[in-house]
Amino acid sequence: MNWFRVRTPGKPFRVPASPLNRPPVNVSAEFPESFEHPLLPHDVWMRQALAEAQAAFEEGEVPVGAVVVFEGRVIAAAHNQRETLNDPTAHAEMIAITQAAEALQSWRLLDCALYVTLEPCPMCAGAIVQARIPTVIYGTTDPKGGACHTLYQITSDPRLNHQSAVLGGVLKEECREILQAFFAHQRAQGKK
């Protein structure tokens, strides 16, 4: 089960002991049916990010969605709006980070998790570091612009003043499929 990668500065990712006092297990192990999958909560939040991506698709935007979760609830949800706003910085992550900062009345998003359907680009990864977001979960990698694992590792660069734990590959097939469908549709219409 090697469908995601984790990058946590200085230590490997391990599932904490369960309420049943089970010892920690490596997330790459196969789980018995009775064991609650450690990524289950991530699937729930990523599906909300996918709903935002679908909204972007319907608006003719590149279908990337993001949500910010704080204390078990979504405090920000956004999708790409570059075309709508004529703003090159209107990525889903940037908008969601701004919404979350407004909701918490703080630019420091210390106890938040960002869920995004596509691996953040360098601009968004920089904003993640600046906002002090400790956890980033993304769906599919971005081979042309990914800045968490693929091309760069901005969110885990020890030279910066803050690092984030990053988990990639959550619902990666669904996240990749919506992007592929969008670009196939664009090509069929002779756009982009």
Side-chain angles (χ1 to χ4, degrees):
M1 179 187 212
N2 190 14
W3 55 277
F4 59 87
R5 293 186 288 176
V6 176
R7 184 180 299 270
T8 304
K11 57 186 172 185
F13 180 78
R14 294 182 62 80
V15 178
S18 76
L20 301 176
N21 204 19
R22 292 185 189 138
V25 295
N26 186 321
V27 295
S28 64
E30 292 296 323
F31 296 99
E33 274 186 47
S34 62
F35 187 79
E36 185 176 321
H37 196 285
L39 297 180
L40 186 60
H42 295 313
D43 290 0
V44 171
W45 303 125
M46 188 61 75
R47 290 204 186 284
Q48 291 192 32
L50 272 166
E52 286 292 326
Q54 183 62 43
F57 189 111
E58 292 166 5
E59 293 173 12
E61 297 277 358
V62 174
V64 176
V67 297
V68 177
V69 176
F70 175 73
E71 295 182 348
R73 63 185 175 88
V74 173
I75 61 167
H79 55 271
N80 277 1
Q81 296 185 47
R82 290 180 1 161
E83 300 295 331
T84 302
L85 300 176
N86 291 314
D87 180 355
T89 68
H91 287 199
E93 302 95 307
M94 300 294 284
I95 297 168
I97 289 169
T98 300
Q99 289 174 351
E102 181 65 26
L104 296 178
Q105 291 295 291
S106 175
W107 62 268
R108 292 178 186 91
L109 303 180
L110 297 173
D111 295 317
C112 295
L114 172 69
Y115 290 81
V116 60
T117 57
L118 180 65
E119 180 182 3
C121 72
M123 173 183 68
C124 295
I128 289 164
V129 170
Q130 292 299 314
R132 313 294 197 264
I133 298 173
T135 308
V136 178
I137 299 93
Y138 69 85
T140 191
T141 58
D142 184 354
K144 294 182 179 179
C148 292
H149 288 144
T150 308
L151 294 179
Y152 307 101
Q153 293 79 40
I154 292 172
T155 52
S156 62
D157 190 325
R159 297 171 296 178
L160 299 175
N161 63 337
H162 174 76
Q163 293 84 39
S164 301
V166 179
L167 171 65
V170 175
L171 301 181
K172 76 175 178 183
E173 294 303 321
E174 293 96 320
C175 295
R176 182 174 45 228
E177 286 169 4
I178 193 169
L179 286 162
Q180 289 174 336
F182 174 79
F183 288 113
H185 177 72
Q186 293 293 90
R187 284 189 297 275
Q189 291 188 335
K191 298 179 182 178
K192 299 181 185 180

